[in-house]
């Protein structure tokens, strides 16, 4: 009886873990092939961990750490065939700061960009997006996508240290 309970508990655990996948394999293949998806950021990992850790420990209630939780903050990158729209925070060292503080972070809309896609043997994708028309600075995004929709995005530019965002792919919302 104990063995049956253990087996059933393990089976429910596996079924539950599968239900937490962001998309199924077919949906991931479809939205990547259509070049119409949204990368939703859950965490940020700045490359200058020592500096960020020092700042986070000085904040009230701060415990330090190198991963910054972004869950629920609605930071994303929307990719379509003709545009890339980014709304992401930036934590790290910037070598030239904007005069207007509201222009901080990684916020842009690009209509002129290169898009390169490759797929490995296991079905995971690597996508490179290089912008050409962003006013302040152009960005290179490298997005690694698993078959179940989890993804990581590395953002780099000339004026900022690289930063990594972890999150997932989402299907675009239907416009009414």
């Amino acid at each position: 009886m104990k063995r049956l309970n253990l087996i059933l508990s393990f089976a429910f655990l596996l079924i539950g873990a599968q239900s937490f996948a962001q998309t199924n394999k077919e949906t991931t293949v479809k939205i990547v092939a259509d070049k119409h998806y949204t990368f939703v950021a859950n965490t940020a990992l700045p490359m200058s961990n020592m500096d960020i850790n020092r700042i986070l420990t000085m904040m009230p209630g701060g415990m330090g750490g190198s991963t910054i939780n972004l869950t629920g903050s609605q930071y994303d990158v929307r990719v379509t065939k003709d545009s890339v729209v980014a709304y992401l925070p930036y934590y790290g060292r910037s070598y030239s700061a904007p005069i207007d503080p509201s222009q901080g972070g990684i916020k842009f809309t690009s209509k002129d960009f290169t898009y390169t896609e490759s797929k490995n043997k296991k079905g995971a994708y690597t996508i490179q997006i290089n912008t050409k028309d962003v006013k302040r600075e152009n960005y290179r995004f490298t997005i690694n996508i698993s078959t179940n929709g989890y993804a990581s995005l590395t953002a780099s530019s000339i004026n900022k240290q690289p930063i990594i965002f972890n999150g997932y792919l989402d299907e675009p919302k239907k416009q009414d």
Side-chain angles (χ1 to χ4, degrees):
M1 189 66 177
K2 286 183 181 182
R3 183 173 283 176
L4 180 62
N5 284 340
L6 181 65
I7 292 171
L8 287 175
S9 298
F10 188 68
F12 283 123
L13 183 65
L14 286 177
I15 291 169
Q18 285 294 329
S19 68
F20 287 119
Q22 295 303 312
T23 61
N24 59 21
K25 187 175 183 175
E26 293 79 25
T27 304
T28 301
V29 170
K30 177 186 167 293
I31 64 178
V32 170
D34 291 345
K35 295 180 186 169
H36 196 108
Y37 54 88
T38 302
F39 169 80
V40 179
N42 285 335
T43 60
L45 284 84
M47 292 296 186
S48 58
N49 289 338
M50 295 290 287
D51 297 333
I52 297 297
N53 195 22
R54 207 171 318 130
I55 292 168
L56 288 174
T57 55
M58 286 186 236
M59 296 176 91
M63 298 179 353
S66 60
T67 302
I68 299 168
N69 186 7
L70 303 174
T71 304
S73 58
Q74 300 179 353
Y75 289 116
D76 63 6
V77 175
R78 293 186 307 276
V79 177
T80 62
K81 289 182 182 181
D82 60 347
S83 70
V84 175
V85 180
Y87 181 70
L88 296 169
Y90 181 74
Y91 306 98
R93 198 165 279 184
S94 181
Y95 302 110
S96 70
I99 294 171
D100 181 7
S102 67
Q103 298 297 315
I106 302 172
K107 301 171 190 163
F108 65 83
T109 299
S110 176
K111 301 272 187 196
D112 185 15
F113 59 93
T114 59
Y115 186 97
T116 309
E117 173 186 320
S118 63
K119 188 176 182 180
N120 70 12
K121 292 178 183 178
K122 294 182 179 180
Y125 292 93
T126 300
I127 295 170
Q128 287 260 335
I129 300 172
N130 294 314
T131 62
K132 298 178 183 178
D133 62 345
V134 179
K135 198 175 232 179
R136 277 190 42 78
E137 62 187 308
N138 287 308
Y139 289 92
R140 168 181 273 180
F141 285 170
T142 303
I143 307 172
N144 295 308
I145 305 166
S146 70
T147 56
N148 60 358
Y150 290 104
S152 69
L153 182 146
T154 304
S156 57
S157 72
I158 293 174
N159 294 324
K160 294 179 175 145
Q161 286 183 326
I163 184 169
I164 299 171
F165 296 94
N166 290 319
Y168 60 92
L169 285 192
D170 196 11
E171 287 185 88
K173 307 291 185 259
K174 300 265 192 262
Q175 303 270 331
D176 289 333

